[in-house]
Amino acid sequence: MRRTLLQGLLHRPLTEDLPRGEEAACITLARRLDAAAQRMLGRGLSIRAVDAGSCNACELELHALNNALYDLERFGLRFVASPRHADVLTVTGPVTTQMREALVRTHAAMPAPKWVVGVGDCARDGGPFAGSARCCGGAAAVVPVDLWIAGCPPTPSALLHGLLTLLRRPPPGGTAPAGG
Amino acid sequence: MMSWQEAADCLARGSATLLSLWGEPGAVHLALWQDGAVRHLAFACPDGRYPSLGRCHPPAIRLERAVRDLDGLDPVGLPDPRPWLDHGPDPASYPFLPAEGAHLHQVPVGPVHAGIIEPGHFRFTCDGETIVRLEQRLGYVHRGVEALMQGLPPDTAARLAGRISGDSTVAYALPFARAAEQASGTEPPPRAVWLRAVMAELERLANHLGDVGAICNDAAFSLMHAHCAVLRERTLRAAAACFGHRLMMDVVVPGGVAQDLPAAGEAILRALIDEVRLRVPPLVRLYDATASLQDRTVGTGIVRPELARQFGAGGFVGRASGRDFDARRMPGYPPYDALAFDVPVLAEGDVNARVWLRIREIGETLGLLGQLLDRLPVGALRTALAGQDGEAVTLAEGFRGDVLIWLRLEKGRVARCHARDPSWFQWPLLEAAIEGNIIADFPLCNKSFNCSYAGHDR
Ligand code: SF4
């Protein structure tokens, strides 16, 4: 183990700069972000993820944000276990009828101010599961969504850019997406 | 053809293994594994009732409850009247099984869990720290995928198949495509068949790497997790560079593949193979030489071989408990019949065995990828599906185990489809494996199973 740790210390970090590219295209603001809340939250966000019927691929990419190459925490973003500790709720999946109540309750358990980020095409409008009688057709049908990150699933860099938008730090190499 | 009663007898005696059970209006279907072949039988039940198999063969119970929920067919004699996939109008009234005793307490967990995890409910009954009974309640991510597929052209339905369980998108798209090809009488071009195997093995590699790290992480050994996560990321990036999508969604399509390996693809994949070959052995030594980690994984969450056999558990759950089954070998499908690989099998059935199974399979997968690249045939990528009506049952080995697809095509569209995730026969074993363990070992045990909620609930 000592060897592995030592190599880790001597090696240059694997973490990469925030990737540039067309990520901004994947991000849409659903509501005007409250400037006061943004100021209040400063430069850190605690995120609670809820899978509301995802195929689990969106979860895999959310997980990838924690790996050494993306290293989410260097931006002050971290996933937390309890909604009571969270500023941001990420919702994946089309919101199945059987996850609806759990989603509502998780959102209700978060202290204000709070934001909701719809992750993936499913969360937007049901995506590939749109039209199913077993789904609510996306996150906005159940909780107020502030921001969408498109993709099936969104890549980790799209996710990073999207979450950083909440901190009102325009992604380098691109402008902050227009409000709508 | 075998009668329903004969099938029930074979299952109860153990001379056949249940592969799946599903319904449609007026008929219930059964797929069995017997004498080295897949057998499919349908039982007409115009009155909506059929004799329960779960009555004499417990692995059928959850499937029969699901068929009752989704298709309204009643399994006569099934002792469990509770719903399974459909929680109904009053989900809170679901009666959990009783556990009685003087010092018992219950711990309800989920559906929302404390990490980035899929939703499901676990009801633990404990005596102090020791788990006396775990009962699962699933169905939260039921999206009605099979119903959505009805009437769709096979290409569109294939996209849905690839999103039943996203971590196994290739493992679903592959048997779906093969079922569409067999049902319609189409032969996919050889290059496509080989490229599909490249993708299937990349998917297996990425998931096994992720799992080995995540299991160690749940034993509070995050160093392994950090290293494995980097290797997993490298694998996904290689997949994206070669097939245009990190998870390779929508590349396996009915009739072939949607895109070719780019000119640089072979070099990218060979570099990946070399890197994993170089970096995994030191990590394996680290796993093996860390006493605090071994203390958590050895002897924890044991699945008895009899149970693995009875439930027909596939993948690392079955093979770590002595069940020698891998759909790539038996019944087998191309191109694996032309490739050399071992199917590792262990007997201990604990968390450690499930970790080792994955480690061994990573080695086999690297070997397979090398062979696939060496001998990749040239030629066309896709054939149009022939128009003929028909139905087919196919199996493919995903990282988690064998995925079964039954597909019926009519007039060039999907009339019905059934998809059975390997998790159906693994989830129940988790309930058994955790009994007598401490509740703090549940996350570790659960991760070593890594069952799919989405694949199960579909
Ligand atoms: S958006 Fe795509 S990847 Fe994400 S949950 Fe939906 S189907 Fe899966």
Side-chain angles (χ1 to χ4, degrees):
Chain A
M1 174 168 357
R2 236 175 285 148
R3 207 188 150 94
T4 317
L5 287 171
L6 200 63
Q7 277 172 352
L9 282 174
L10 297 176
H11 217 272
R12 68 180 172 77
L14 291 170
T15 310
E16 298 168 337
D17 288 342
L18 190 63
R20 287 150 192 269
E22 68 281 29
E23 270 76 29
C26 309
I27 301 158
T28 342
L29 288 185
R31 299 193 307 181
R32 277 179 64 82
L33 294 178
D34 183 338
Q38 280 176 309
R39 263 199 312 279
M40 212 148 67
L41 286 159
R43 295 193 289 157
L45 284 180
S46 296
I47 308 163
R48 171 68 241 207
V50 168
D51 170 345
S54 149
C55 75
N56 79 24
C58 277
E59 276 57 48
L60 294 176
E61 296 299 49
L62 285 170
H63 264 294
L65 291 176
N66 281 321
N67 76 34
L69 289 104
Y70 300 107
D71 188 19
L72 183 74
E73 293 211 14
R74 73 185 139 143
F75 299 108
L77 306 173
R78 63 195 185 105
F79 289 102
V80 292
S82 168
R84 306 218 186 269
H85 302 159
D87 310 306
V88 174
L89 177 69
T90 61
V91 182
T92 55
V95 189
T96 56
T97 51
Q98 297 183 157
M99 269 308 285
R100 184 191 181 105
E101 183 174 349
L103 176 62
V104 169
R105 288 203 202 181
T106 307
H107 183 255
M110 291 168 62
K114 50 187 160 185
W115 290 317
V116 178
V117 177
V119 169
D121 294 350
C122 280
R124 172 108 216 193
D125 58 4
F129 309 112
S132 170
R134 303 279 181 171
C135 300
C136 305
V142 182
V143 285
V145 177
D146 297 286
L147 180 78
W148 304 102
I149 306 176
C152 186
T155 60
S157 40
L159 290 170
L160 262 182
H161 281 272
L163 292 170
L164 289 178
T165 305
L166 287 181
L167 288 178
R168 224 197 208 172
R169 214 191 281 168
T175 45
Chain B
M1 191 161 131
M2 194 190 263
S3 75
W4 193 257
Q5 187 55 48
E6 279 163 354
D9 292 343
C10 289
L11 286 172
R13 266 202 320 271
S15 65
T17 306
L18 180 63
L19 286 177
S20 196
L21 185 143
W22 65 97
E24 64 174 316
V28 57
H29 294 253
L30 180 65
L32 298 178
W33 177 253
Q34 195 179 33
D35 304 329
V38 178
R39 287 169 192 253
H40 170 208
L41 50 149
F43 181 80
C45 46
D47 59 347
R49 296 151 60 84
Y50 65 96
S52 162
L53 297 178
R55 196 178 30 152
C56 54
H57 189 58
I61 294 176
R62 287 181 176 180
L63 287 160
E64 290 186 341
R65 289 167 66 188
V67 168
R68 183 170 51 204
D69 290 352
L70 303 184
D71 304 287
L73 302 176
D74 189 26
V76 178
L78 181 70
D80 196 333
R82 300 171 302 167
W84 181 241
L85 287 185
D86 186 344
H87 294 178
D90 184 16
S93 66
Y94 186 82
F96 285 91
L97 297 175
E100 286 161 13
H103 307 289
L104 301 184
H105 66 279
Q106 282 199 343
V107 184
V109 178
V112 177
H113 297 163
I116 310 173
I117 312 175
E118 297 184 74
H121 183 88
F122 300 119
R123 183 64 59 100
F124 298 95
T125 306
C126 301
D127 180 0
E129 280 197 278
T130 307
I131 299 169
V132 177
R133 162 175 270 162
L134 160 64
E135 191 181 353
Q136 297 150 355
R137 189 177 183 207
L138 302 172
Y140 292 92
V141 274
H142 177 59
R143 293 145 289 165
V145 177
E146 293 176 354
L148 271 176
M149 281 185 179
Q150 287 172 31
L152 293 180
D155 282 10
T156 322
R159 293 175 59 86
L160 276 172
R163 285 163 179 78
I164 289 176
S165 182
D167 54 10
S168 303
T169 179
V170 179
Y172 271 91
L174 176 61
F176 184 88
R178 293 188 62 241
E181 287 150 11
Q182 284 176 24
S184 64
T186 313
E187 189 70 43
R191 185 171 177 82
V193 171
W194 283 61
L195 284 175
R196 287 171 176 183
V198 172
M199 288 184 256
E201 295 309 316
L202 278 175
E203 182 174 272
R204 191 180 328 278
L205 179 64
N207 283 310
H208 279 358
L209 286 168
D211 276 3
V212 169
I215 295 168
C216 295
N217 198 42
D218 276 345
F221 195 67
S222 53
L223 182 61
M224 278 288 279
H225 182 47
H227 283 276
C228 289
V230 169
L231 288 176
R232 175 182 158 85
E233 177 68 22
R234 300 257 191 254
T235 310
L236 299 187
R237 289 183 181 189
C242 291
F243 298 104
H245 189 285
R246 286 163 55 89
L247 302 171
M248 300 168 286
M249 278 180 170
D250 308 324
V251 189
V252 175
V253 291
V257 291
Q259 68 185 82
D260 203 355
L261 199 61
E266 185 179 336
I268 292 169
L269 292 178
R270 292 210 189 266
L272 174 74
I273 297 173
D274 290 345
E275 178 170 9
V276 177
R277 269 203 207 289
L278 185 72
R279 303 225 178 270
V280 164
L283 294 177
V284 174
R285 284 197 292 277
L286 180 63
Y287 172 77
D288 221 23
T290 304
S292 61
L293 188 53
Q294 295 279 308
D295 182 48
R296 296 289 303 278
T297 60
V298 176
T300 305
I302 296 175
V303 175
R304 286 181 291 113
E306 310 87 79
L307 218 48
R309 201 178 327 112
Q310 186 190 17
F311 276 75
F316 36 75
V317 173
R319 290 194 288 272
S321 290
R323 182 168 181 261
D324 187 0
F325 181 86
D326 185 317
R328 291 174 297 175
R329 172 145 295 159
M330 286 270 270
Y333 47 93
Y336 293 99
D337 44 358
L339 302 168
F341 64 105
D342 266 346
V343 176
V345 178
L346 297 169
E348 291 79 2
D350 56 358
V351 172
N352 182 52
R354 289 188 283 278
V355 171
W356 267 106
L357 227 287
R358 287 166 166 105
I359 292 172
R360 298 269 307 276
E361 289 187 6
I362 288 172
E364 293 304 319
T365 286
L366 294 175
L368 280 168
L369 280 170
Q371 294 176 55
L372 286 162
L373 292 175
D374 287 345
R375 295 161 51 200
L376 203 58
V378 290
L381 295 174
R382 194 171 182 184
T383 337
L385 281 193
Q388 148 195 340
D389 289 355
E391 66 178 78
V393 177
T394 52
L395 278 183
E397 189 75 16
F399 88 99
R400 186 178 273 124
D402 48 300
V403 174
L404 177 140
I405 298 282
W406 166 74
L407 181 67
R408 182 188 293 146
L409 293 180
E410 275 168 18
K411 301 194 183 72
R413 295 194 169 244
V414 175
R416 305 277 308 186
C417 179
H418 166 68
R420 193 272 295 140
D421 195 87
S423 306
W424 276 92
F425 302 122
Q426 297 168 339
W427 276 121
L429 300 192
L430 179 59
E431 289 187 346
I434 199 64
E435 212 180 290
N437 286 250
I438 57 171
I439 195 163
D441 274 342
F442 178 72
L444 173 65
C445 222
N446 189 21
K447 198 72 218 173
S448 78
F449 272 67
N450 192 12
C451 295
S452 174
Y453 301 70
H456 171 280
D457 296 353
R458 48 170 151 76

